[in-house]
Amino acid sequence: MTTEEFERFRRLIYDHAGIALTPEKKVMVASRLAKRLDYYQLEHYGEYYQLAVSPDYPHEFQTLVNILTTNETYFFREPKHFEFFQQHILKTWRGEHFRVWSAASSTGEEAYTLAMVLAENLGTRNWEIFGSDLSTRVLEVARHGVYPLDRLDHMDKRLLEKYCLRGVRSQEGFFRVDNKLRSRVKFDQVNLMSSLPHTLGRFDVIFLRNVLIYFDQDTKKQVVERLITALKPGGHFIISHSESLHRVTEQLQMLKPSIYRKP
């Protein structure tokens, strides 16, 4: 992959998803896209770029996005957030309908972790979770709710037994999230760089974790302030411990590092 070819892909994914790829990512991009060149029997990355943006191949652009977006997650990642969610948000909630948005849900582990915490604390009361991502590939995994057992290092065994079904025979080594939880969690594609869907509604809590690290400062500001419009007054906005909203927005009050509240 030439520097010029990398620059074209870098600009494409930045304009579409806000992801800022550094020059050090050139080898990674070339490696991930090599299989698509083989698939179409192309010799040059420039040829694949033209194909991916061509109206003659309408699904290939989404395939390109799926390949270049990073999706790494697991159950109960950054557990302090779920402790705060339980102790300081759910225990004092007295509303009628509690809504949470996992705004970069990847393969669904965060959304289902939230569902377990909600089920434990709010039981059969009126609550729901919406999970979104840019990648259609990971959304399909999330909707099925089937995961390898080795993704459960941080999960309480009691919750595993209560909310997950272990696979047998051909599904041995896997588990599926119980249907009662899956029925409370909906997944759909949302591009955080675009206007939010009118049907989205507003949320009590928004999780936007391990996403801002891929954005430059201007993109962070755009994305965060767009999502704040979907947060109810008094609602909470949670980012990763490795991220910060310093100089990103003045519309949120920091309660503690990575946890914010909308006045």
Side-chain angles (χ1 to χ4, degrees):
M1 177 179 284
T2 67
T3 300
E4 291 74 20
E5 288 169 335
F6 171 74
E7 179 60 26
R8 297 177 80 182
F9 286 111
R10 188 200 67 79
R11 173 55 60 180
L12 186 68
I13 200 69
Y14 178 81
D15 289 344
H16 181 69
I19 297 171
L21 294 173
T22 62
E24 292 75 24
K25 299 291 186 181
K26 178 182 169 185
V27 173
M28 179 272 287
V29 171
S31 174
R32 290 188 180 184
L33 295 181
K35 290 182 180 179
R36 302 310 291 168
L37 269 70
D38 291 342
Y39 179 81
Y40 287 108
Q41 298 183 317
L42 302 174
E43 292 186 12
H44 304 290
Y45 286 94
E47 295 176 284
Y48 176 68
Y49 177 92
Q50 293 297 339
L51 185 149
V53 299
S54 167
D56 295 333
Y57 297 86
H59 301 296
E60 190 60 31
F61 180 75
Q62 182 62 54
T63 299
L64 169 66
V65 171
N66 291 351
I67 290 171
L68 292 185
T69 48
T70 300
N71 304 104
E72 178 188 354
T73 187
Y74 47 85
F75 284 87
F76 287 90
R77 185 179 188 180
E78 300 186 74
K80 292 291 185 184
H81 286 152
F82 300 107
E83 292 173 17
F84 182 92
F85 182 61
Q86 176 175 315
Q87 296 296 327
H88 300 282
I89 300 177
L90 296 182
K91 285 201 171 179
T92 60
W93 181 71
R94 296 294 181 269
E96 295 181 358
H97 187 190
F98 194 87
R99 302 187 73 223
V100 185
W101 182 10
S102 172
S105 60
S106 185
T107 43
E109 287 91 332
E110 178 179 87
Y112 289 127
T113 298
L114 289 165
M116 292 178 196
V117 177
L118 280 161
E120 288 290 290
N121 289 270
L122 299 187
T124 59
R125 293 167 69 184
N126 195 4
W127 59 266
E128 65 174 301
I129 296 168
F130 175 61
S132 69
D133 204 277
L134 189 60
S135 168
T136 54
R137 177 184 60 82
V138 298
L139 288 171
E140 197 60 31
V141 175
R143 291 187 185 105
H144 282 92
V146 177
Y147 305 96
L149 283 167
D150 60 15
R151 305 297 291 273
L152 299 175
D153 292 345
H154 301 273
M155 188 188 291
D156 185 326
K157 285 187 170 59
R158 182 182 63 84
L159 297 179
L160 173 62
E161 298 298 330
K162 189 173 183 179
Y163 296 113
C164 303
L165 305 173
R166 289 177 181 266
V168 295
R169 293 185 289 278
S170 64
Q171 291 296 308
E172 189 172 352
F174 291 83
F175 71 94
R176 187 172 200 180
V177 177
D178 184 82
N179 185 55
K180 290 180 181 178
L181 280 192
R182 285 190 290 112
S183 67
R184 298 267 199 154
V185 185
K186 306 299 180 188
F187 294 97
D188 207 350
Q189 185 184 41
V190 173
N191 185 346
L192 302 179
M193 291 291 291
S194 304
S195 299
L196 300 181
H198 297 301
T199 56
L200 192 61
R202 295 210 287 178
F203 298 87
D204 296 275
V205 183
I206 295 176
F207 277 70
L208 184 71
R209 304 192 303 169
N210 301 293
V211 179
L212 298 179
I213 53 175
Y214 299 107
F215 296 155
D216 60 25
Q217 193 70 13
D218 287 343
T219 305
K220 288 179 185 179
K221 184 176 180 64
Q222 292 175 33
V223 168
V224 169
E225 296 200 334
R226 183 176 293 118
L227 267 63
I228 289 172
T229 64
L231 188 62
K232 296 177 184 177
H236 291 78
F237 194 97
I238 300 176
I239 62 175
S240 170
H241 291 298
S242 63
E243 299 166 325
S244 170
L245 296 186
H246 178 60
R247 295 190 298 110
V248 172
T249 183
E250 296 181 355
Q251 297 185 45
L252 297 171
Q253 299 171 338
M254 187 175 77
L255 302 181
K256 54 175 59 182
S258 76
I259 299 176
Y260 299 79
R261 184 178 179 274
K262 182 177 180 179

